[in-house]
Amino acid sequence: MTIEVAVQQLINALSLGSLYALLALGLGMVYSVLGMLNFAYGELLTVCGYTMFLLILIGVPFPVAGLVGLGMAIGVSLLIERLVFRPLRGASFISLLFASFAASVIIQNLIKQLISKRPKVIPVPEVFDQMINIGPFQINVLSLIILLVGLVTLAGLVAFLQKTRWGLAIRAAAEDFEVTRLMGAKANRVIALSFALSGFVAGVAGVLWLSRRGAVSPTMGFIPILKAFIAIVIGGLGSLKGAVMGGFLLAFIEVALMVMLPTRAVPFTDAFALMIVVVILYMRPEGLISIKTGS
Amino acid sequence: MLKNWSRRRVTSAFHTFWMLALVLGIISVAAAVIDDRSITRLVTDFMTLCVLVIALQSFIGNSGIISFGHVAFFGIGAYSAALLTITPKIKAIALPALPVYIQQMQVSFTVAVLMGACLSLLVAIITGLALSRMAEGAMAMATLALLVMLHSIFANWEQVTRGTIGVYGIPRNITLFNTWICAAVVGGAALLFKASPTGLCLQASRDDPLATGTLGVSVAKTRFAGWVLSAILMGAGGAMWAQNNLAFGPNQFYYAETFNLLSMLVIGGICSVTGAIAGVAVVTLVGELLRGLENGLSIGTWVTLPELPGIVQMSIACLIIVVLIIRPQGMLGLNELSDFVYKRRMTKKNT
């Protein structure tokens, strides 16, 4: 492999990694505060995608549509929290999981009925497909954009979590929710905030995901949620740092397999990637960063 | 070995077993008396689903760990039944790359069900050795990984599964009688496991894994036992299902089916075998009632409802949320059928 190809693949891996890290962070945020896996998270991307699709259809430019889509993802995330998860506060892990499963089915079917059952194409700005030359390397513009947006969002979120009072409340709730409440943080507000942030991250990830895929379909949320789920489990459930690391690790495994596997084995890439993930989990059952030991 | 069995648990499991077998038997006999094709089909579908959901219950209910991977065992059972029961003539055309001895083989319903169970036992042992050691959350993820892995095998191993085109021409070996036997046997096995010492240890690990470990029980080993048992039952259910559905493709063993089976279990009650059957019954009834709506409906000549695709799935999803809010443990909670009968007898004695 030449050095050029290696650098291009490295950029690919980093760009995919920042996307996965975002997805994982959004899912991990709610998990660390409430201890629940929100399967309706993938549907936030779907909602964002369809909002953009409808807006672009009536002639709104791509960036504006993206922003409105982002807003919709936050809104729907808060709405799900209010309608489904608040009545179930304190229910068992499995109950919450199934409630989120059910919420995701309801959203999917609403989209099927109100908009369309079939996949729809979203026209993506042409710039995204071009290549630019940096020194001797040819790099896809979209990969760079995803990498930049991903890293900026991640940095912004980290700053928010580290520097503000609200961020402190979320980090404290992730460690011990009861004590956080005793310190005077309002439970409903912290939870709503974590859902809003989760929706925000899903919206950003949704815009980036769509720019890669260029199409929307009612079941498009399944793959992102799957990747996010895998990433937070490799990283160590409940750890926000672990979620980001898990996202990057998963992307590196996938890109490495894509490069190294022979053409005949390419359909099995996902299967191989998952096999590696299972091996990692077998070695470290608590994930990369265990919240119990904190190391 | 036998002395660890609790007499009370086994007796109550046995009571539930014969009552459930009786109820399912009455349904079968009723269907046989009516002798209508669509009703017979409905009942065989119902019994097959009962087997699958009970198999799911025997792991999830006892261990408290959510598994997304059981549909993979369902697929293994279904594909092995398909390969073993399709006539050699069709196999020669559709699956020419199969080894000759499999191509010329054609077995009966019972053998196919047993083979489906054996094959998924094999896969369960291999996967279970790794899975049972993991923490709860990681194990749930790993079961999802199993589902995706096996789906990609079903969809891409074209010599054996015909890839995404799917297999066809499975003979309809299923009858009201043999589905009833299967459902009763699987129900009995799940009840017996629930009452067994291993099942009790597994339930203890569900309620508090740490405390169970300190009492000298190997949590990993009991989880392994539950995993393997439920995989066997799931494989058998898959083999039954294949001989009821006659043609299928890999996408039938994926996300949608997982949701479908899990929703029945959650509505009925995760911790109860009776609940599993009740869940299947409720979801089947809701589905039958609303299926008319899905294709549009006219009431009189004035009101015409539009076609509502997906209304069945959506109502079931709403039903799950409502059940979880009102009864977080599902409709039956922790109760089995015998508990209701017993309780009534106890209150009669007291008054």
mmCIF file of all heavy atoms in Angstrom, chain A residues 25 34 48 61 101 122 181 269 272 290:
data_model
loop_
_atom_site.group_PDB
_atom_site.id
_atom_site.type_symbol
_atom_site.label_atom_id
_atom_site.label_comp_id
_atom_site.label_asym_id
_atom_site.label_seq_id
_atom_site.Cartn_x
_atom_site.Cartn_y
_atom_site.Cartn_z
ATOM 1 N N LEU A 25 -22.056 9.275 21.452
ATOM 2 C CA LEU A 25 -22.151 10.238 22.549
ATOM 3 C C LEU A 25 -23.609 10.583 22.824
ATOM 4 O O LEU A 25 -24.039 10.674 23.979
ATOM 5 C CB LEU A 25 -21.355 11.494 22.189
ATOM 6 C CG LEU A 25 -21.119 12.458 23.338
ATOM 7 C CD1 LEU A 25 -20.344 11.772 24.439
ATOM 8 C CD2 LEU A 25 -20.388 13.683 22.859
ATOM 9 N N LEU A 34 -29.873 8.268 32.747
ATOM 10 C CA LEU A 34 -31.063 7.511 33.138
ATOM 11 C C LEU A 34 -30.835 6.006 33.241
ATOM 12 O O LEU A 34 -31.689 5.279 33.717
ATOM 13 C CB LEU A 34 -32.174 7.752 32.119
ATOM 14 C CG LEU A 34 -33.023 8.998 32.333
ATOM 15 C CD1 LEU A 34 -34.073 9.077 31.273
ATOM 16 C CD2 LEU A 34 -33.662 8.960 33.702
ATOM 17 N N CYS A 48 -34.938 14.013 11.345
ATOM 18 C CA CYS A 48 -34.092 15.066 10.802
ATOM 19 C C CYS A 48 -34.007 14.931 9.280
ATOM 20 O O CYS A 48 -34.182 15.903 8.540
ATOM 21 C CB CYS A 48 -32.711 14.969 11.445
ATOM 22 S SG CYS A 48 -31.468 15.985 10.692
ATOM 23 N N PRO A 61 -32.519 26.047 0.705
ATOM 24 C CA PRO A 61 -31.127 25.598 0.532
ATOM 25 C C PRO A 61 -30.708 24.573 1.588
ATOM 26 O O PRO A 61 -31.239 24.563 2.704
ATOM 27 C CB PRO A 61 -30.315 26.886 0.639
ATOM 28 C CG PRO A 61 -31.227 27.890 1.247
ATOM 29 C CD PRO A 61 -32.618 27.482 0.905
ATOM 30 N N PHE A 101 -38.303 1.039 22.068
ATOM 31 C CA PHE A 101 -38.555 0.214 20.880
ATOM 32 C C PHE A 101 -39.910 0.586 20.266
ATOM 33 O O PHE A 101 -40.037 0.840 19.070
ATOM 34 C CB PHE A 101 -38.663 -1.235 21.329
ATOM 35 C CG PHE A 101 -37.697 -2.162 20.676
ATOM 36 C CD1 PHE A 101 -37.240 -3.265 21.371
ATOM 37 C CD2 PHE A 101 -37.262 -1.955 19.383
ATOM 38 C CE1 PHE A 101 -36.351 -4.150 20.795
ATOM 39 C CE2 PHE A 101 -36.383 -2.840 18.800
ATOM 40 C CZ PHE A 101 -35.922 -3.939 19.509
ATOM 41 N N ILE A 122 -32.293 12.612 -1.605
ATOM 42 C CA ILE A 122 -32.072 14.007 -1.212
ATOM 43 C C ILE A 122 -30.935 14.542 -2.071
ATOM 44 O O ILE A 122 -29.851 13.965 -2.084
ATOM 45 C CB ILE A 122 -31.666 14.119 0.264
ATOM 46 C CG1 ILE A 122 -32.868 13.870 1.149
ATOM 47 C CG2 ILE A 122 -31.093 15.485 0.562
ATOM 48 C CD1 ILE A 122 -32.628 14.259 2.583
ATOM 49 N N ARG A 181 -29.476 14.932 42.821
ATOM 50 C CA ARG A 181 -30.766 15.527 43.192
ATOM 51 C C ARG A 181 -30.689 16.151 44.579
ATOM 52 O O ARG A 181 -31.245 17.217 44.837
ATOM 53 C CB ARG A 181 -31.869 14.475 43.147
ATOM 54 C CG ARG A 181 -32.205 14.048 41.738
ATOM 55 C CD ARG A 181 -33.331 13.068 41.713
ATOM 56 N NE ARG A 181 -34.593 13.689 42.095
ATOM 57 C CZ ARG A 181 -35.743 13.031 42.118
ATOM 58 N NH1 ARG A 181 -35.776 11.765 41.805
ATOM 59 N NH2 ARG A 181 -36.839 13.645 42.460
ATOM 60 N N THR A 269 -18.187 -7.898 5.805
ATOM 61 C CA THR A 269 -17.427 -6.942 6.614
ATOM 62 C C THR A 269 -18.051 -6.715 7.988
ATOM 63 O O THR A 269 -17.372 -6.788 9.005
ATOM 64 C CB THR A 269 -17.330 -5.578 5.899
ATOM 65 O OG1 THR A 269 -16.861 -5.812 4.585
ATOM 66 C CG2 THR A 269 -16.381 -4.655 6.612
ATOM 67 N N PHE A 272 -17.533 -9.631 10.296
ATOM 68 C CA PHE A 272 -16.166 -9.695 10.840
ATOM 69 C C PHE A 272 -15.950 -8.622 11.897
ATOM 70 O O PHE A 272 -15.369 -8.876 12.947
ATOM 71 C CB PHE A 272 -15.142 -9.529 9.709
ATOM 72 C CG PHE A 272 -14.906 -10.790 8.935
ATOM 73 C CD1 PHE A 272 -15.242 -10.874 7.597
ATOM 74 C CD2 PHE A 272 -14.359 -11.899 9.561
ATOM 75 C CE1 PHE A 272 -15.042 -12.042 6.884
ATOM 76 C CE2 PHE A 272 -14.149 -13.069 8.851
ATOM 77 C CZ PHE A 272 -14.491 -13.142 7.505
ATOM 78 N N SER A 290 -14.135 1.175 32.306
ATOM 79 C CA SER A 290 -15.130 0.650 33.228
ATOM 80 C C SER A 290 -15.520 1.746 34.210
ATOM 81 O O SER A 290 -14.662 2.412 34.783
ATOM 82 C CB SER A 290 -14.547 -0.545 33.978
ATOM 83 O OG SER A 290 -15.343 -0.806 35.099
#
